[in-house]
Amino acid sequence: MMEWGRLLNTERWDDKGKAEDPARPSYVQDADRITFSAPFRRLANKTQVHPLHDNDHLRHRMIHSQEVASVGRTLGTQVGAWLVDQGHIAPGEEHKLAGVVHAACLAHDIGNPPFGHSGENSIGSWCAENLETAQGVFKGVGEDKWPEFCAFEGNAQGFRILTRLEMYRNQGGMCLSHAVLGAFMKYPMAACTSEALKKGKEPLYVGAKKFGFFESEREIFQSSAFEMGLTEELGPDGLLWWRRHPLVYLVEAADDICYNIVDLEDGFTAGDLAFQQVADLLNPIAFDTNRDQSAYSNIEKISYLRARAIGGAVQACVEAFKKHHDEILSGDFSSSLIECSDKAREFAAIKAMANAQLFTAPRKTKLEVYGRNVVRQVLNGIRPVFDALKEQGWDEAKLPEYERQLVRAVGLDLRDITDSYSALHAMTDYVSGMTDRYAVEVSQMLSGT
């Protein structure tokens, strides 16, 4: 059974034993470090649902992340107050719990590539094709590392950004507190372990649906997992994996609430969904909707329903957390709070509609195809640099003239590359860090169009 006292450990891996500043606790510093980081800033030009849209009222990844953080803080405050009442945490600790969830929510999409899941799939399929042929820079990457690239995962890239690439490079990254890293980690295992647990089937544990860290960052997560007392398991591949930190379920719930509900609002704003269709889906989730709306425009009515629906969903998820608290703490809970809440049916209806209509809207589909090809064009365009780097024994100074020009033209970072594995990560670091519009710009330059 995991213990809240250890789970809320807000020490940093490089500051063990250092006293927190009560006027600016670690979780506040963590939120600030994330907010002021370049990868977070780039989220303002990354797809949420509608890629490359000219309508400024539609959400992008940064707005989505801020909204998720707002909902997550509310979930954390309410669950924290209940934990105090139950004697699970000391009075005052509810603020720490809410702050940890808030910071983790801010970071939850920080590793997403351009064009969202379409971009993820494009990176993964491109890497898979090239690993199969195993030429140039792709030759020599062990097959045990292939799943990291063939099923490229924004969550693992996010952890890499937080703990290695951003701020103090190779020295802990942003050096976030253990609890925030734990709450961030939806899938506490490496890619090969996730593959072994799934074996082509639906995983037995919710935290095994994907993977949450690359082997290059395993030691960092393992250290934090030990400090927080996360439950350890041994995978079929002989490698350790962990049960989720309980606060992951609140971060996940905040994300589920926001993208389901506000995607409806954006769908209406974009003209993909009709007013009555959205209203009929939000009304069953909303609570206390007795305000007179007769003078409201349809846009104002949907905004009102969206706000009330978020409130109703928060209430439902808090109750679900209370109900399943013991299972969550033991690591046996293997669902989401939305799916086991009393609003599960209503959210299932939203997902069904979104899959059938919103995510298949003609404009979105065309731009996803476009974005997928943009990502592939960028990867094809920068590959010669890495092939040449390998030929020159990883010595950047020996690159041919064109490859040196290309490095300068697109701003490639070739630090820390010592073998094919680190080279592939440098390639995916670069492409996944691009914004949608910058990816388009670079692809056009590389293709000469």
Side-chain angles (χ1 to χ4, degrees):
M1 183 75 76
M2 289 178 274
E3 301 172 0
W4 281 111
R6 293 185 67 183
L7 291 167
L8 294 179
N9 182 343
T10 50
E11 287 186 335
R12 308 182 193 282
W13 74 278
D14 61 337
D15 285 336
K16 191 169 184 178
K18 183 179 178 180
E20 281 191 61
D21 179 355
R24 193 164 179 263
S26 293
Y27 57 84
V28 172
Q29 294 181 44
D30 291 349
D32 290 346
R33 290 179 181 186
I34 294 163
T35 300
F36 282 90
S37 71
F40 185 80
R41 193 159 59 248
R42 289 195 290 267
L43 293 177
N45 284 292
K46 289 196 179 188
T47 297
Q48 171 58 18
V49 173
H50 304 274
L52 298 174
H53 213 292
D54 293 329
N55 189 329
D56 290 341
H57 290 275
L58 298 180
R59 289 166 173 85
H60 47 65
R61 285 281 172 183
M62 180 190 283
I63 291 296
H64 167 71
S65 297
Q66 290 170 328
E67 290 178 340
V68 170
S70 178
V71 172
R73 183 174 52 209
T74 299
L75 285 165
T77 300
Q78 294 190 18
V79 165
W82 178 79
L83 290 172
V84 170
D85 288 343
Q86 299 298 306
H88 294 303
I89 62 175
E93 290 284 276
E94 68 270 27
H95 304 300
K96 177 189 284 189
L97 190 149
V100 165
V101 174
H102 175 258
C105 285
L106 280 173
H108 85 283
D109 270 350
I110 205 165
N112 276 34
F115 303 104
H117 293 303
S118 177
E120 272 184 328
N121 293 337
S122 186
I123 294 171
S125 63
W126 185 85
C127 287
E129 292 166 14
N130 286 284
L131 282 165
E132 286 292 339
T133 57
Q135 299 295 316
V137 71
F138 285 88
K139 187 175 182 179
V141 180
E143 289 191 23
D144 60 319
K145 302 294 196 304
W146 287 18
E148 294 190 9
F149 304 102
C150 297
F152 183 78
E153 177 54 51
N155 287 287
Q157 186 65 27
F159 189 75
R160 180 173 167 85
I161 288 168
L162 297 176
T163 61
R164 180 177 298 279
L165 301 181
E166 183 65 18
M167 198 168 171
Y168 302 117
R169 187 182 177 90
N170 296 325
Q171 296 180 321
M174 295 190 200
C175 296
L176 305 181
S177 55
H178 296 304
V180 170
L181 293 178
F184 172 86
M185 184 59 67
K186 286 179 68 175
Y187 308 106
M189 62 187 66
C192 53
T193 306
S194 176
E195 290 293 310
L197 287 172
K198 287 189 291 190
K199 293 181 179 178
K201 302 177 182 179
E202 186 68 20
L204 298 176
Y205 180 59
V206 66
K209 287 182 178 179
K210 300 180 182 179
F211 64 95
F213 57 80
F214 301 119
E215 282 298 332
S216 51
E217 284 73 55
R218 169 184 286 277
E219 186 177 336
I220 298 172
F221 182 72
Q222 185 164 331
S223 174
S224 280
F226 174 79
E227 295 295 336
M228 293 180 288
L230 300 188
T231 302
E232 295 181 353
E233 304 283 357
L234 191 64
D237 56 358
L239 295 174
L240 277 178
W241 61 279
W242 293 264
R243 298 286 172 171
R244 281 178 163 187
H245 190 296
L247 296 186
V248 168
Y249 294 100
L250 297 185
V251 174
E252 183 178 57
D255 190 24
D256 286 345
I257 289 168
C258 286
Y259 80 74
N260 278 288
I261 291 175
V262 304
D263 282 0
L264 293 181
E265 184 178 26
D266 276 355
F268 172 69
T269 303
D272 295 326
L273 301 176
F275 168 79
Q276 198 57 51
Q277 185 179 18
V278 174
D280 288 345
L281 288 167
L282 291 181
N283 264 312
I285 304 173
F287 75 103
D288 190 21
T289 56
N290 53 6
R291 180 183 290 270
D292 180 12
Q293 303 172 53
S294 58
Y296 287 10
S297 67
N298 281 348
I299 291 176
E300 290 169 336
K301 288 177 182 177
I302 293 299
S303 295
Y304 173 75
L305 280 177
R306 177 257 304 154
R308 294 302 187 182
I310 288 175
V314 165
Q315 190 175 55
C317 287
V318 169
E319 292 305 315
F321 190 96
K322 293 177 184 178
K323 180 179 178 181
H324 296 280
H325 171 264
D326 291 348
E327 292 172 72
I328 290 170
L329 215 58
S330 68
D332 295 327
F333 186 69
S334 190
S335 182
S336 71
L337 296 180
I338 282 287
E339 290 172 339
C340 67
S341 75
D342 62 8
K343 300 295 183 184
R345 183 178 299 178
E346 290 79 2
F347 273 88
I350 292 174
K351 286 185 178 181
M353 184 283 305
N355 289 331
Q357 187 174 344
L358 187 59
F359 298 148
T360 57
R363 182 187 182 280
K364 176 176 169 58
T365 302
K366 290 177 182 178
L367 280 169
E368 284 186 342
V369 171
Y370 175 66
R372 187 180 181 93
N373 286 309
V374 163
V375 169
R376 293 178 72 89
Q377 180 65 58
V378 172
L379 287 164
N380 283 328
I382 65 173
R383 177 176 173 174
V385 170
F386 296 88
D387 284 340
L389 193 63
K390 182 173 184 177
E391 290 176 8
Q392 299 302 327
W394 312 112
D395 186 348
E396 183 180 352
K398 295 179 180 180
L399 283 175
E401 182 181 359
Y402 170 72
E403 281 72 18
R404 283 188 279 114
Q405 284 182 322
L406 186 52
V407 169
R408 294 195 302 271
V410 301
L412 287 176
D413 190 341
L414 304 183
R415 290 176 294 172
D416 309 321
I417 299 177
T418 56
D419 54 20
S420 289
Y421 176 68
S422 55
L424 293 195
H425 270 304
M427 293 176 75
T428 53
D429 288 344
Y430 175 74
V431 177
S432 66
M434 303 176 98
T435 65
D436 295 6
R437 297 186 190 280
Y438 183 61
V440 171
E441 178 186 330
V442 171
S443 74
Q444 289 173 343
M445 179 185 68
L446 293 172
S447 64
T449 59

